[in-house]
Amino acid sequence: MSLKSVMESCISDSSSIPEFYLRYFNWMVQVISVRCNRTLPESRINHILRVWDGHPITSDHKNLMSFSIANSEMLVSPATELLSIPWCYGFDILLFGEWISRAAKLKSGSIVILKNLHFFLSKHSITPILVLHEGCLYGRGIVEVHPKAVEGHCRYLKLMNDTQRVLAENNRSHEESDTTAVSLQEDLAISTECREDVNQIHFDWDEEEELSDERLAALTDSFFGRTTTHHLQANDK
């Protein structure tokens, strides 16, 4: 099967995954990371491929399982630009057999097609999981997609647009938060400087100054306007 045919067999995006509950499907995604961990100290080591396509996990995904990042060893660490992806956008794929070593050779940020991915539910669990079983039955595999080979293809363009949109929105949100934080810090600094300036001002009022009538009239005029002064003068007359 040609690469173009494989791409056209992929689901449009992760929002379509619920339609394949307990079934198999092909999916084009961007790699975030590959890690291994244990859910319990004596349990088997799980190898997890974490991917995304710019769409979040929702309630429609039937509580799809995400593995804890605690007690994990990174085999492929997330690229810098992917570190800020909200957790709900990442999908964990449980790997078996040769796909463990295959995934460990991938780079974070690379585009791959996961073929014959299983939306699986164990008899002993109520939480479904995405699984790439061992072996190549039914064309199962991880196909790395080189951008130049698929440039202009609608599936590839959609994936890039969807992921870049989320990254741009997330970066903009962080920038706004940073700007707000800087503004608050500047306001605090200005406020502190003002307090320090006030504290440094020395008022030499050890003796009470007796103000003349002219001075009082001038002060009254400055604070309340000439109309008030004229009114006071008229009353004096």
Side-chain angles (χ1 to χ4, degrees):
M1 184 180 290
S2 67
L3 178 58
K4 182 179 179 181
S5 298
V6 174
M7 291 180 68
E8 291 175 351
S9 70
C10 293
I11 60 174
S12 59
D13 56 62
S14 58
S15 63
S16 299
I17 290 178
E19 300 172 18
F20 292 86
Y21 185 56
L22 305 182
R23 295 163 58 197
Y24 297 81
F25 60 96
N26 297 340
W27 185 24
M28 186 162 64
V29 294
Q30 184 174 38
V31 174
I32 297 176
S33 65
V34 182
R35 68 187 192 276
C36 58
N37 73 351
R38 294 179 186 270
T39 53
L40 295 171
E42 297 180 356
S43 65
R44 65 183 297 277
I45 297 177
N46 295 313
H47 292 82
I48 312 299
L49 168 63
R50 190 167 182 79
V51 301
W52 79 312
D53 69 354
H55 294 264
I57 297 175
T58 68
S59 58
D60 292 334
H61 290 90
K62 304 181 185 297
N63 296 317
L64 185 64
M65 184 172 182
S66 290
F67 288 84
S68 171
I69 201 168
N71 302 317
S72 292
E73 176 188 350
M74 284 293 177
L75 303 179
V76 177
S77 298
T80 302
E81 64 271 18
L82 302 182
L83 286 172
S84 61
I85 296 174
W87 185 258
C88 64
Y89 280 83
F91 289 76
D92 284 342
I93 315 296
L94 182 60
L95 302 171
F96 288 96
E98 61 269 57
W99 309 122
I100 295 173
S101 58
R102 175 72 180 91
K105 296 176 182 177
L106 297 173
K107 293 182 178 180
S108 179
S110 59
I111 306 301
V112 298
I113 296 175
L114 303 175
K115 296 175 62 182
N116 200 239
L117 187 62
H118 193 188
F119 193 177
F120 176 73
L121 179 65
S122 168
K123 295 179 180 179
H124 308 290
S125 175
I126 59 173
T127 304
I129 188 172
L130 296 177
V131 180
L132 196 62
H133 298 289
E134 70 275 10
C136 300
L137 195 64
Y138 303 112
R140 184 177 301 123
I142 299 176
V143 179
E144 191 165 3
V145 177
H146 299 285
K148 289 185 178 180
V150 296
E151 190 174 13
H153 193 285
C154 60
R155 294 284 189 186
Y156 176 75
L157 291 176
K158 174 175 169 51
L159 175 61
M160 290 295 95
N161 288 337
D162 290 347
T163 53
Q164 290 303 313
R165 172 182 51 80
V166 175
L167 290 175
E169 291 175 354
N170 197 50
N171 290 336
R172 184 163 55 249
S173 176
H174 281 298
E175 288 173 359
E176 290 174 354
S177 298
D178 292 343
T179 301
T180 301
V182 170
S183 178
L184 289 173
Q185 290 174 354
E186 290 176 347
D187 290 344
L188 179 60
I190 292 172
S191 176
T192 303
E193 289 174 1
C194 290
R195 288 198 301 271
E196 291 175 350
D197 289 343
V198 170
N199 291 335
Q200 291 173 3
I201 296 175
H202 176 65
F203 296 96
D204 190 11
W205 286 355
D206 294 335
E207 295 181 4
E208 186 175 350
E209 181 181 4
E210 184 175 349
L211 300 178
S212 64
D213 292 339
E214 290 79 5
R215 176 70 65 83
L216 287 172
L219 289 172
T220 302
D221 187 56
S222 298
F223 283 104
F224 301 105
R226 293 186 179 276
T227 303
T228 305
T229 304
H230 294 160
H231 179 68
L232 290 173
Q233 291 175 345
N235 288 341
D236 290 341
K237 293 179 181 178

